[in-house]
Amino acid sequence: MTAKASVHAIARKSLHQELVGRLQVLIISGDLAPGTKVPEKDLCERFNVSRTPLREALKVLASDGLVTLEPNRGAWVTRVTAGEVEEVFPVLGALEALAGELACQNITDEEIRAVRKVHDEMIVSYESGDLDGYFDLNQKIHRMILLAARNDTLTTACQALSMRLQRPRYLANMSGERWSAAVREHEKIINLLEARDGRQLGVTLAEHMKAKQNSVLRYIFAEKSSKAT
């Protein structure tokens, strides 16, 4: 993932998927800020599309919780509240813990090596200060573990909840202290996956999500405080 979406017109092949992806990037990176109206006309010109495919893409983002559709008022970028974070993260943590346990039962040696490779690439991004590259690879690791669980119901539920919190999770990584802690947590996750220690991996993933929850809450409260002053 890159923080800035390309301004080039979108090729007609896979228009819908590409448009959804571009809009997701704009929201997660903050180019479309929480609480602001989605500028449909500007986006149509930017991506050289009509309003029909754009609005279809916005419906997908609404189902993911990234935007809110209001009759006669258009689409608005959803604000993530502290209450939502406190409600969603424990559920997401439980799902990720289950995914870790099942992954250790079902993952192949080749898939474990692939996860390690992505982890090593993520470390390079961390060491170079590339937050966008790090976040993209970080999310890829979680998806790989989730898919290795071999449970479609779990995958669908986990991805739906995760998408709702992409924006604050991205921003919460900007703290240097939290970022370095997250890297240490991921190293432990990979080691446990390689050892196929499903029970401990489940515990560690739940703890990892709890730490992320606390980081996101600190970000939300800090943002409110800065606006108040």
Side-chain angles (χ1 to χ4, degrees):
M1 181 192 74
T2 58
K4 304 298 182 183
S6 170
V7 297
H8 298 306
I10 299 173
R12 294 298 161 181
K13 183 179 180 180
S14 303
L15 173 63
H16 178 71
Q17 295 91 332
E18 182 72 11
L19 190 52
V20 169
R22 298 279 187 93
L23 292 172
Q24 287 173 340
V25 170
L26 288 174
I27 292 172
I28 293 170
S29 67
D31 282 356
L32 294 178
T36 62
K37 186 175 183 180
V38 176
E40 293 186 19
K41 181 180 178 181
D42 292 345
L43 291 173
C44 286
E45 293 176 355
R46 180 173 186 171
F47 297 130
N48 190 28
V49 298
S50 67
R51 292 213 171 187
T52 297
L54 180 69
R55 288 176 175 173
E56 288 301 313
L58 289 173
K59 289 179 183 178
V60 174
L61 298 186
S63 68
D64 289 336
L66 293 178
V67 302
T68 302
L69 302 179
E70 298 185 8
N72 304 317
R73 295 193 66 217
W76 296 73
V77 181
T78 305
R79 290 185 183 277
V80 177
T81 66
E84 183 179 10
V85 169
E86 292 173 335
E87 179 179 305
V88 174
F89 260 105
V91 178
L92 185 58
L95 293 176
E96 292 237 2
L98 177 58
E101 291 183 29
L102 293 176
C104 285
Q105 297 174 21
N106 298 310
I107 196 168
T108 66
D109 291 343
E110 183 179 358
E111 287 172 327
I112 289 177
R113 288 192 292 269
V115 175
R116 169 60 76 176
K117 182 175 183 295
V118 175
H119 172 77
D120 292 343
E121 292 171 358
M122 186 188 75
I123 297 302
V124 172
S125 293
Y126 165 70
E127 292 175 344
S128 63
D130 177 10
L131 179 62
D132 297 320
Y134 170 88
F135 187 78
D136 185 43
L137 294 167
N138 179 298
Q139 295 304 295
K140 185 175 181 179
I141 289 170
H142 283 276
R143 286 195 301 271
M144 293 171 81
I145 293 174
L146 181 59
L147 292 174
R150 308 287 196 268
N151 188 304
D152 291 342
T153 300
L154 177 61
T155 297
T156 299
C158 199
Q159 289 183 335
L161 286 177
S162 181
M163 183 57 68
R164 289 170 60 182
L165 299 173
Q166 289 297 295
R167 164 68 177 163
R169 288 174 72 177
Y170 171 82
L171 290 174
N173 273 323
M174 288 185 175
S175 162
E177 181 180 351
R178 174 56 204 154
W179 197 359
S180 60
V183 168
R184 292 193 298 272
E185 291 163 13
H186 260 265
E187 182 64 40
K188 184 177 181 181
I189 288 169
I190 301 304
N191 289 339
L192 289 169
L193 182 66
E194 291 175 332
R196 295 181 182 273
D197 187 342
R199 186 191 66 80
Q200 192 56 47
L201 178 57
V203 171
T204 301
L205 282 166
E207 292 174 344
H208 178 62
M209 296 309 296
K210 180 63 177 179
K212 178 65 73 173
Q213 174 186 331
N214 293 336
S215 180
V216 169
L217 286 173
R218 283 194 296 272
Y219 168 77
I220 290 176
F221 292 140
E223 187 178 43
K224 284 184 177 179
S225 177
S226 65
K227 288 181 178 179
T229 57

